[in-house]
Amino acid sequence: MSSPDFQIPMHDWNIVGHEHAINPLRRALVAQRVRHAYLFTGPEHIGKALLAQRFAQTLLCTGGEDVHGTPQNPCNACLSCRKVMHGNHPDVHYISRPQDKQFILIEQVRALQSDAARKTLEGRRNIFIIQGMHEMNVQAANCLLKTLEEPEPDVVLLLTVPDPGLLLPTILSRVQQVPMQLLTTKQIKDRWHGEPDEANLIAALAAGRIGWAVQAVEDEDMLAERQAQLETLAKLSTAGKVQRFDVAQRLSADSDKLHAILELWLLWWRDMVLAANNCLDLIVNVDMQGIIQNQAAKVGAAESQRMVRAILGTMEALDQNVNARVALEVLMLDLPTVR
Ligand SMILES: [Zn+2]
């Protein structure tokens, strides 16, 4: 049954695609020129944390021909590899924003620095994976600079950020950037072993982010929730002001989900723009093509484009801590009315 089209481009890093990000890391390993700090960049769910973890695994792998040297690929079998994969290697430290805090704090960076000053416990390197560097406050970032400027010889910092523009230039100048690009829909679809219809839908919705696809497969509620959210959105176009404000209130009360919902809306309105321009083969919400086509014909490309901008503006406002309910009410008034 296996056609050549379904061969998965796998290597020992166990990551689909992203060769352009992995190959420079491999070359650094072969040349024994591993830098002290790397910054993995790319949109949410693209796999930055996974790549950082695989790199850490390779740096600590003891399964290579020379047990004292670093191989260019992890063996995935030695004790060290297994510990990194399970997240319990004592020389791999994870740092991210605590759930109840707004930022990664200076105390966390100080803890990192005291760990970095210690000898490694098992491996040949002391590795720190900082997820979401943009969530580090300025005070903490300035403190981290000290480590970036004068790192202990065995320390490697692996940082992730959606966009390098979110970081201070002083940080950027001291890291090696590793940009990650979106995968093709086919690369994602080829990973799928279930129903072809579902594979098409998930690959389209993932919009290049393999992490999103994996999450959708693992979490059965995710697709059902998406469906419910989009149905609400589709109805809003014909709803009056009272109903729209009800939805604004309901959504603003769930700040955890708000960002994901707005991303969903953004994709929907991008699809509307595409449908209004007769580019149906490019739309993401393939299962709702009929409704999108119908509404796009009534709303038109210019209005749809305006909604894309309005949603982006709302997301930006929310990032700057504008009152969520007010921001959503403004967005609701922006929604074109379909009759
Ligand atoms: Zn190994």
Side-chain angles (χ1 to χ4, degrees):
M1 275 292 287
S2 68
S3 82
D5 283 351
F6 279 81
Q7 293 295 311
I8 301 157
M10 292 283 260
H11 34 66
D12 295 333
W13 286 54
N14 267 322
I15 288 175
V16 182
H18 295 303
E19 283 85 2
H20 60 276
I22 296 170
N23 287 336
L25 299 176
R26 274 208 189 103
R27 282 197 294 274
L29 290 163
V30 172
Q32 297 187 18
R33 285 205 157 149
V34 174
R35 303 257 316 239
H36 284 295
Y38 290 85
L39 176 67
F40 299 90
T41 67
E44 246 183 290
H45 300 305
I46 200 170
K48 301 183 290 293
L50 181 68
L51 180 55
Q53 196 203 37
R54 293 283 188 263
F55 189 37
Q57 187 187 334
T58 315
L59 286 167
L60 296 172
C61 175
T62 55
E65 281 171 23
D66 168 11
V67 285
H68 301 294
T70 307
Q72 59 165 313
N73 298 307
C75 75
N76 297 315
C78 73
L79 186 58
S80 181
C81 271
R82 279 181 286 145
K83 281 188 177 176
V84 178
M85 286 193 281
H86 294 137
N88 58 11
H89 195 294
D91 297 320
V92 182
H93 312 261
Y94 293 87
I95 296 116
S96 60
R97 177 176 64 81
Q99 271 199 335
D100 58 339
K101 295 281 187 300
Q102 226 182 328
F103 299 108
I104 299 176
L105 305 170
I106 192 162
E107 293 77 35
Q108 294 174 273
V109 175
R110 292 214 176 103
L112 175 159
Q113 287 168 333
S114 89
D115 283 335
R118 265 190 235 127
K119 275 178 83 76
T120 59
L121 294 165
E122 293 180 7
R124 54 178 97 81
R125 288 180 204 269
N126 219 346
I127 299 174
F128 298 85
I129 299 180
I130 308 184
Q131 265 180 274
M133 256 307 282
H134 59 300
E135 294 183 312
M136 185 177 281
N137 67 19
V138 177
Q139 199 189 12
N142 282 328
C143 182
L144 184 71
L145 266 182
K146 250 185 286 170
T147 308
L148 288 170
E149 281 163 358
E150 293 166 28
E152 301 290 328
D154 58 356
V155 164
V156 179
L157 296 172
L158 306 177
L159 319 175
T160 76
V161 77
D163 183 330
L166 296 169
L167 299 187
L168 297 168
T170 42
I171 300 269
L172 289 178
S173 66
R174 287 172 178 86
V175 298
Q176 171 83 51
Q177 291 194 32
V178 184
M180 296 180 72
Q181 288 156 13
L182 295 170
L183 300 187
T184 62
T185 302
K186 185 179 180 309
Q187 277 175 310
I188 295 181
K189 200 160 62 185
D190 287 356
R191 274 297 295 258
W192 189 261
H193 305 295
E195 287 285 314
D197 276 356
E198 213 169 9
N200 284 333
L201 177 62
I202 288 189
L205 292 177
R209 303 157 303 166
I210 186 87
W212 191 96
V214 171
Q215 218 175 315
V217 173
E218 283 171 1
D219 180 359
E220 287 173 6
D221 295 340
M222 217 166 114
L223 285 181
E225 171 135 2
R226 164 191 166 269
Q227 185 83 23
Q229 293 296 352
L230 287 185
E231 276 163 14
T232 304
L233 175 62
K235 279 187 207 139
L236 276 177
S237 302
T238 54
K241 206 163 154 184
V242 176
Q243 281 165 292
R244 290 183 180 196
F245 279 13
D246 271 354
V247 171
Q249 189 199 356
R250 197 156 43 79
L251 294 181
S252 63
D254 197 350
S255 57
D256 286 348
K257 283 189 188 157
L258 190 51
H259 186 80
I261 291 171
L262 286 174
E263 275 194 347
L264 213 56
W265 288 19
L266 189 61
L267 284 178
W268 173 276
W269 282 98
R270 282 194 174 141
D271 282 354
M272 291 275 285
V273 175
L274 292 166
N277 285 310
N278 289 319
C279 300
L280 287 172
D281 52 326
L282 294 176
I283 74 168
V284 164
N285 295 292
V286 285
D287 56 332
M288 301 188 92
Q289 185 175 322
I291 305 174
I292 290 172
Q293 221 174 335
N294 186 302
Q295 290 205 357
K298 292 175 182 160
V299 175
E303 275 291 277
S304 301
Q305 188 78 54
R306 191 180 59 76
M307 273 314 290
V308 168
R309 282 197 297 272
I311 294 168
L312 285 171
T314 307
M315 290 168 104
E316 212 167 290
L318 291 173
D319 280 346
Q320 288 161 9
N321 288 321
V322 168
N323 181 296
R325 185 166 167 185
V326 174
L328 287 173
E329 284 179 357
V330 172
L331 184 63
M332 289 300 164
L333 293 176
D334 271 339
L335 267 179
T337 305
V338 177
R339 305 236 174 258

